[in-house]
Amino acid sequence: MKKLMILSLVLISQCGILHAQATKAEEIYSFTRVINSYKWYVTQHELWAKEVKKDKKDEEAWTNYYAATRYAGRRAETEEIRLEWVEKEEDVLAQVAKNIPNTFAYYYIMSWAKPVYAAQNPEERKEFIDNVLKAHQIQPENSEVYPELMNIYEVYAYNPTQLEEISKLWKKSAHFTPATFLLAHNMLNGAQKDAIILTAGDNDTYPLWVAQHADNVRKDLTVLNVYLAQIESYRKRIFKKLNIPELVGENKSFEEIIQHIIEHKGQKTLYFTSRSLFNDQEDLLEQVYNVGLLYQYSEEELDNVSILVHNFEEVFYTDLLMHNYYTSEWEDLDLRMNNMYVPGLVHLYKYYQLINKTEKAEETFKVIQRLAQHFDYYESVKKQLGIE
């Protein structure tokens, strides 16, 4: 089988643009939007600590103080340091409960610290769900709680009406940049009818769900996050819809879940949004093909180049990749999301070179250059393409 060179989306997703160290307290954004350095979060932790001391009822200060503490721990370089931040995080949570109980910030922070999927029993699950619902009740147009609301109505208390309502609110909030939302539409529209799309994280799951429920786009597709699929009750419902036999047990790894889907998916086409889902599984690497934005599983050799070319030429909207139509508030996020096009564009460039469509090859490289030049892997891309 012809092996196709595919750039690692894991590497791409981890490539960020470094920000200068802050000297004032700044709003802390989710990792799904901005990723800063460990030192930056430590500094912000110290700065926001001063702000909450000034006004112990300041909900915004508490939210940012907690976020800085949480993300400092997530960015810690050693396990020992991480555990120190876990203790600090617990201390902040106790202070939040003491100083701003029954507020939006309190319920939001608690829903963030104790996501529903982490519940150990039905009582905890009810408590965690109540935190989300109460936060939403206090500030229904605050998009920060929408991810957990989507999880509740998709995973724990399936409710298509609520999913549509939250999706429309989320889209209206402009939480997603045009680039992110367009990427979601392109992913969905590049899949075959009734296919299964396996996702790995927030940015390749929620935008697809929102596009399906808010815009009624490709609702024939099943978009399944493999980590949420580790929840047995949710997996049971999805598998029943797909005519896949049950996989019994709460502690199934995502590798086991993927293998079970492969063995029982029948005639349905299976896609992955990210190489992180199969990068460590040698057998899968031989059976997964880049078809533009998604990676298609096939046990037989697949002419993925023809599919990929069709998607880029006939299906995908790509104007935002080539032109600056707006100034993005989240430039780093857009760069990271748009880099999901790069592996497919590399194949497209090689195809145009092979058939001597020099002008199209040059246009394609300009897009690759525009998307990849900000990242360390750009030099390796040029080497792959034989460009100095």
Side-chain angles (χ1 to χ4, degrees):
M1 184 191 343
K2 185 160 108 181
K3 288 189 179 179
L4 299 173
M5 297 182 72
I6 307 172
L7 296 173
S8 172
L9 291 182
V10 177
L11 175 62
I12 291 171
S13 67
Q14 289 177 345
C15 291
I17 297 176
L18 294 178
H19 297 270
Q21 294 299 309
T23 56
K24 65 178 182 178
E26 299 180 31
E27 185 171 356
I28 313 296
Y29 296 106
S30 164
F31 272 3
T32 59
R33 289 188 171 183
V34 179
I35 302 175
N36 284 297
S37 69
Y38 169 72
K39 289 183 178 179
W40 189 88
Y41 288 114
V42 172
T43 301
Q44 288 299 315
H45 166 81
E46 295 167 353
L47 292 169
W48 281 110
K50 295 176 182 178
E51 294 301 314
V52 297
K53 285 181 180 178
K54 291 178 186 176
D55 182 358
K56 293 187 176 180
K57 299 299 180 183
D58 186 339
E59 292 185 49
E60 181 182 354
W62 281 111
T63 300
N64 284 290
Y65 184 36
Y66 172 73
T69 309
R70 178 183 179 89
Y71 287 144
R74 301 305 185 273
R75 296 288 281 164
E77 295 180 354
T78 68
E79 181 65 9
E80 182 180 359
I81 294 174
R82 187 191 72 81
L83 291 174
E84 290 175 3
W85 282 101
V86 168
E87 290 184 12
K88 292 178 182 179
E89 186 177 340
E90 290 299 321
D91 180 61
V92 173
L93 289 172
Q95 293 180 59
V96 166
K98 177 182 177 181
N99 289 288
I100 53 168
N102 304 318
T103 61
F104 169 81
Y106 167 77
Y107 290 120
Y108 166 57
I109 291 170
M110 291 304 165
S111 70
W112 193 7
K114 301 175 181 179
V116 182
Y117 65 78
Q120 299 297 310
N121 53 60
E123 291 74 23
E124 270 196 357
R125 182 173 298 169
K126 183 180 183 305
E127 176 192 343
F128 294 175
I129 289 176
D130 283 348
N131 287 334
V132 181
L133 297 179
K134 288 175 181 177
H136 181 56
Q137 184 178 26
I138 295 170
Q139 291 189 20
E141 294 187 354
N142 191 312
S143 64
E144 296 301 327
V145 297
Y146 293 167
E148 279 300 298
L149 283 169
M150 293 289 282
N151 289 347
I152 290 170
Y153 295 125
E154 169 67 22
V155 179
Y156 300 99
Y158 181 59
N159 189 323
T161 302
Q162 289 292 334
L163 283 170
E164 181 178 335
E165 180 181 323
I166 298 303
S167 294
K168 288 180 177 178
L169 283 172
W170 206 348
K171 181 183 177 183
K172 182 181 177 182
S173 74
H175 178 100
F176 298 115
T177 67
T180 298
F181 212 52
L182 185 61
L183 178 71
H185 278 248
N186 283 339
M187 279 187 169
L188 293 171
N189 286 323
Q192 294 184 23
K193 183 176 174 55
D194 297 324
I196 303 167
I197 301 178
L198 299 184
T199 67
D202 289 9
N203 283 336
D204 64 349
T205 302
Y206 296 122
L208 274 65
W209 282 352
V210 170
Q212 286 184 307
H213 293 290
D215 293 340
N216 203 33
V217 173
R218 298 302 307 273
K219 297 189 79 170
D220 59 296
L221 303 174
T222 299
V223 177
L224 178 62
N225 183 288
V226 293
Y227 296 101
L228 291 176
Q230 292 176 307
I231 300 166
E232 187 175 12
S233 59
Y234 176 52
R235 184 172 68 240
K236 181 178 180 180
R237 178 176 70 79
I238 296 297
F239 281 7
K240 183 178 181 180
K241 183 185 81 168
L242 296 171
N243 294 315
I244 292 176
E246 287 185 33
L247 181 61
V248 180
E250 281 286 355
N251 299 315
K252 297 299 180 182
S253 67
F254 76 81
E255 292 90 351
E256 291 177 287
I257 293 168
I258 290 171
Q259 189 58 43
H260 188 78
I261 292 171
I262 288 172
E263 292 173 1
H264 299 286
K265 66 183 180 62
Q267 297 302 309
K268 289 182 172 62
T269 305
L270 176 64
Y271 297 99
F272 302 86
T273 59
S274 171
R275 278 181 59 89
S276 66
L277 291 169
F278 58 85
N279 212 31
D280 296 328
Q281 301 181 60
E282 196 169 322
D283 292 342
L284 272 182
L285 281 172
E286 294 289 328
Q287 297 173 316
V288 178
Y289 299 79
N290 186 307
V291 291
L293 281 169
L294 300 171
Y295 297 87
Q296 182 174 337
Y297 174 84
S298 178
E299 294 178 4
E300 298 178 357
E301 189 166 357
L302 182 70
D303 180 14
N304 66 307
V305 175
S306 63
I307 301 172
L308 182 148
V309 171
H310 171 74
N311 279 334
F312 273 105
E313 292 186 345
E314 305 293 337
V315 178
F316 296 163
Y317 292 98
T318 57
D319 282 359
L320 285 180
L321 303 181
M322 298 178 282
H323 306 286
N324 284 323
Y325 291 114
Y326 71 102
T327 301
S328 177
E329 183 182 358
W330 307 105
E331 184 179 359
D332 289 8
L333 171 62
D334 281 352
L335 284 171
R336 285 186 284 128
M337 297 304 291
N338 282 340
N339 267 270
M340 295 184 75
Y341 292 95
V342 172
L345 287 167
V346 168
H347 293 305
L348 188 66
Y349 173 87
K350 291 179 178 179
Y351 167 76
Y352 287 142
Q353 286 283 75
L354 184 65
I355 63 173
N356 294 316
K357 287 194 174 183
T358 305
E359 187 175 340
K360 280 189 170 290
E362 290 175 353
E363 290 174 356
T364 302
F365 177 71
K366 286 180 181 177
V367 179
I368 293 172
Q369 183 180 42
R370 187 170 187 268
L371 299 181
Q373 63 183 331
H374 303 283
F375 299 92
D376 292 340
Y377 72 89
Y378 177 54
E379 292 302 317
S380 68
V381 170
K382 290 199 295 184
K383 286 182 181 178
Q384 286 187 46
L385 302 182
I387 296 173
E388 296 299 329

